[in-house]
Amino acid sequence: MSDDRVLIICTSVHHQNTFKIAEALAEELNAKIIKPSEFRGEDLDSYDLIGFGSGIYNGKHHPSLLSLASDLDTQTNKKAFIFSTSTILAKSMHRALKDNLQAKGYQIIGEFCCRGFMNHRFTKYILGGLNKNRPNADDLEEAKQFARKMIEKS
Ligand SMILES: Cc1cc2nc3c(=O)[nH]c(=O)nc-3n(C[C@H](O)[C@H](O)[C@H](O)COP(=O)(O)O)c2cc1C
């Protein structure tokens, strides 16, 4: 893919776990990373592929990403991918974001999820938190492999 044709919109509020994945993806895709608050609708015309990612909070992506997706202008088959980090791996937690994007005409060409460190509430009493040191180097390599698949598919 030519340079500067991929945009990644990512928010990562708990431990910057998802941001680490966004950086690995961006490195492979020559992508620009922005936060939902930095998004301007007209940006999208300049990009062939858009990645949407955040941590999972109470079974869904971050509310700022979900609301950005529901406010998007309708597109004709714009290609997109979804990514997340979470305690438990389950692509079903991508459902809300996926539904919002598909309702706006986005074609979801891939989904990536990865374990992320979690020490919210009671989990901090379980050996200081769950999924320590995740994402790790192997996770970042998997993210890069996923990015290469996205290049092939787009
Ligand atoms: C308030 C809160 C709610 C969470 N809810 C879930 C959840 O429903 N399912 C899950 O697997 N992980 C859950 N997690 C864990 C996060 O998804 C995980 O730590 C993620 O890596 C955080 O990403 P971030 O550092 O990019 O914000 C939750 C974490 C917090 C702080």
Side-chain angles (χ1 to χ4, degrees):
M1 176 160 316
S2 60
D3 281 1
D4 303 330
R5 303 298 293 176
V6 186
L7 179 67
I8 292 178
I9 307 172
C10 175
T11 187
S12 185
V13 301
H14 188 33
H15 286 291
Q16 297 285 294
N17 295 333
T18 318
F19 190 68
K20 290 175 193 154
I21 296 296
E23 282 186 316
L25 295 169
E27 199 180 308
E28 208 64 24
L29 293 165
N30 291 316
K32 176 179 178 183
I33 306 175
I34 61 167
K35 294 180 184 157
S37 59
E38 295 167 328
F39 176 73
R40 304 284 171 270
E42 64 275 17
D43 287 344
L44 287 186
D45 291 339
S46 339
Y47 297 98
D48 299 323
L49 177 63
I50 322 287
F52 296 87
S54 77
I56 296 291
Y57 317 97
N58 304 318
K60 295 177 181 180
H61 281 84
H62 192 267
S64 64
L65 197 62
L66 291 170
S67 93
L68 179 148
S70 8
D71 291 344
L72 287 170
D73 290 338
T74 303
Q75 301 281 332
T76 315
N77 254 350
K78 178 81 88 182
K79 291 192 171 74
F81 63 86
I82 292 174
F83 63 101
S84 67
T85 63
S86 52
T87 309
I88 297 163
L89 291 187
K91 284 201 181 130
S92 57
M93 295 190 289
H94 288 183
R95 191 73 253 168
L97 180 60
K98 196 172 176 180
D99 284 350
N100 287 358
L101 291 172
Q102 286 177 330
K104 298 292 179 171
Y106 284 75
Q107 186 194 346
I108 308 301
I109 62 167
E111 296 179 54
F112 179 81
C113 51
C114 167
R115 289 190 197 279
F117 177 57
M118 154 75 149
N119 62 354
H120 185 61
R121 293 197 170 167
F122 69 90
T123 62
K124 66 173 165 277
Y125 302 113
I126 310 169
L127 303 173
L130 303 173
N131 297 337
K132 274 194 181 158
N133 303 316
R134 306 289 295 272
N136 60 21
D138 288 345
D139 296 324
L140 299 183
E141 187 45 46
E142 271 188 42
K144 288 182 181 191
Q145 275 173 28
F146 171 80
R148 291 194 280 276
K149 276 193 207 142
M150 294 301 95
I151 295 171
E152 283 164 23
K153 284 189 170 186
S154 59

